[in-house]
């Protein structure tokens, strides 16, 4: 039962073999935030991350994407708002503000619950995610300098204030005053970031229909990051779409990126 969102929340936890052999040893942890329509299960079943996490000795935690089953009117009406579409923010609109608090759920609750129940080294936490979850990973890392020593994203919604998915979600959860939106927009947050230097890896398929339809806008994030303490590497991957086939192809590179940065930090 989550205090932050007021319902039961599921998440996956992968423990590498060494955690079973030596349960007291504290290991680095990587959080993966999923995209629209996903539960915690999509990443576990489709990404193939396990062999890479085992190889690099990382614990991996993958939460669900929203509260569920609350009987809020409109909660299940569309794939891009409500259930499966929490957008990793704390809603302020009356109907949603009690439960749609995925930002607080991840930052204040999940990290503590994981640290209290598994042998994680909290000085070695990484965060990544896909699409809406890429937006979540980037915004959560940028808003909490020093909490995550490594950051990456797959096809993130990079500038939600300027895309249809983001405008719909932010209007619904935060209201129509756009001045309240920027604090959940990576392209705005990156310009203000003043924490430890971050090397961020972003992969994006060039045949991704959501890229073509202006939902993802990674170039806006890349441009905004120039001259900041965030060094962003945006890799355009030829022929790849938005699916988990794209994620499963590059998850090994991302886990390598996280392992390298997490193990640098002592
Ligand atoms: N048009 C799609 C949009 C949703 C979508 O593509 N979701 C992505 C994340 S933004 C996903 O990971 N889907 C689940 C899967 O592929 O397993 C739908 O209606 O299902």
């Amino acid at each position: 039962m989550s205090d932050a969102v007021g319902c039961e929340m599921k998440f996956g936890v992968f423990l590498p073999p060494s955690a079973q052999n030596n349960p007291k040893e504290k290991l680095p942890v990587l959080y993966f935030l999923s995209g629209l329509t996903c539960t915690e299960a999509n990443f576990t079943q489709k990404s193939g991350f396990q062999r890479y996490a085992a190889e690099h000795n990382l614990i991996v935690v993958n939460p669900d994407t929203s509260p569920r089953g609350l009987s809020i009117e409109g909660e299940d009406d569309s794939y891009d708002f409500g259930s499966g579409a929490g957008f990793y923010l704390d809603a302020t609109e009356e109907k949603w503000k009690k439960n749609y608090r995925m930002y607080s759920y991840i930052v204040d609750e999940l990290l503590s619950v994981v640290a209290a129940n598994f042998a994680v080294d909290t000085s070695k936490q990484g965060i990544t995610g896909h699409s809406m979850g890429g937006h979540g990973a980037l915004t959560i890392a940028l808003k909490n300098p020093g909490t995550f020593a490594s950051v990456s994203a797959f096809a993130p919604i990079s500038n939600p204030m300027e895309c249809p998915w983001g405008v719909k979600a932010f209007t619904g959860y935060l209201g129509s005053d756009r001045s309240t939106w920027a604090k959940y927009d990576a392209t705005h947050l990156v310009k203000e970031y003043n924490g430890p230097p971050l090397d961020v890896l972003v992969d994006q398929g060039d045949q991704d229909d959501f890229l073509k339809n202006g939902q993802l806008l990674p170039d806006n994030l890349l441009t905004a990051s120039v001259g900041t303490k965030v060094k962003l590497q945006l890799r355009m991957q030829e022929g790849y779409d938005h699916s988990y086939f794209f994620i499963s192809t590059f998850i090994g590179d991302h886990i390598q990126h996280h392992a390298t940065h997490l193990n640098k930090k002592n």
Side-chain angles (χ1 to χ4, degrees):
M1 177 74 186
S2 159
D3 290 334
V5 302
C7 65
E8 199 173 288
M9 290 294 283
K10 292 188 181 162
F11 56 91
V13 179
F14 172 84
L15 299 177
S18 79
Q20 284 148 41
N21 300 336
N22 186 4
K24 293 232 167 81
E25 187 199 1
K26 294 202 169 193
L27 296 178
V29 59
L30 175 64
Y31 289 84
F32 183 95
L33 307 183
S34 290
L36 293 167
T37 74
C38 291
T39 68
E40 75 291 347
N42 298 63
F43 181 67
T44 303
Q45 294 171 356
K46 294 183 168 182
S47 74
F49 77 90
Q50 292 87 348
R51 59 179 282 213
Y52 304 105
E55 198 179 301
H56 290 284
N57 233 357
L58 289 181
I59 294 175
V60 178
V61 177
N62 47 306
D64 199 352
T65 54
S66 75
R68 293 185 189 269
L70 295 162
S71 305
I72 302 173
E73 184 244 318
E75 176 184 88
D76 295 320
D77 288 359
S78 50
Y79 81 92
D80 54 3
F81 190 82
S83 298
F87 270 83
Y88 305 99
L89 51 73
D90 285 353
T92 51
E93 286 296 281
E94 199 51 43
K95 212 159 97 176
W96 308 100
K97 71 180 187 188
K98 180 163 171 269
N99 305 98
Y100 275 70
R101 304 180 69 245
M102 286 300 289
Y103 177 80
S104 289
Y105 168 66
I106 304 289
V107 175
D108 298 333
E109 196 167 15
L110 184 63
L111 264 60
S112 314
V113 167
V114 168
N117 290 281
F118 300 94
V120 300
D121 179 345
T122 54
S123 73
K124 294 181 179 179
Q125 303 186 121
I127 192 162
T128 183
H130 174 223
S131 195
M132 175 185 75
H135 140 78
L138 293 168
T139 55
I140 287 173
L142 293 169
K143 286 162 77 67
N144 295 277
T147 302
F148 298 97
S150 66
V151 184
S152 76
F154 296 84
I157 302 175
S158 300
N159 191 184
M161 289 179 71
E162 305 301 334
C163 79
W165 274 338
V167 170
K168 177 175 176 178
F170 287 8
T171 305
Y173 293 131
L174 303 173
S176 52
D177 176 2
R178 288 176 60 96
S179 68
T180 65
W181 296 4
K183 66 178 179 194
Y184 292 113
D185 186 311
T187 294
H188 286 265
L189 291 167
V190 78
K191 293 181 210 158
E192 287 159 23
Y193 179 78
N194 198 22
L198 278 178
D199 259 330
V200 177
L201 172 64
V202 175
D203 272 318
Q204 173 64 60
D206 73 355
Q207 295 306 309
D208 181 334
D209 284 337
F210 298 118
L211 175 72
K212 296 180 187 175
N213 296 343
Q215 296 281 23
L216 305 173
L217 307 171
D219 290 334
N220 294 3
L221 177 64
L222 181 62
T223 304
S225 72
V226 173
T228 72
K229 291 168 97 177
V230 177
K231 198 172 107 210
L232 192 113
Q233 185 188 9
L234 172 59
R235 305 193 307 187
M236 295 305 293
Q237 302 291 1
E238 204 182 318
Y240 284 89
D241 64 10
H242 198 66
S243 71
Y244 266 86
F245 293 114
F246 161 63
I247 298 178
S248 67
T249 303
F250 298 106
I251 189 70
D253 289 1
H254 284 246
I255 289 186
Q256 169 79 65
H257 170 85
H258 287 275
T260 302
H261 285 84
L262 295 175
N263 289 324
K264 240 192 251 167
K265 205 164 180 267
N266 284 310

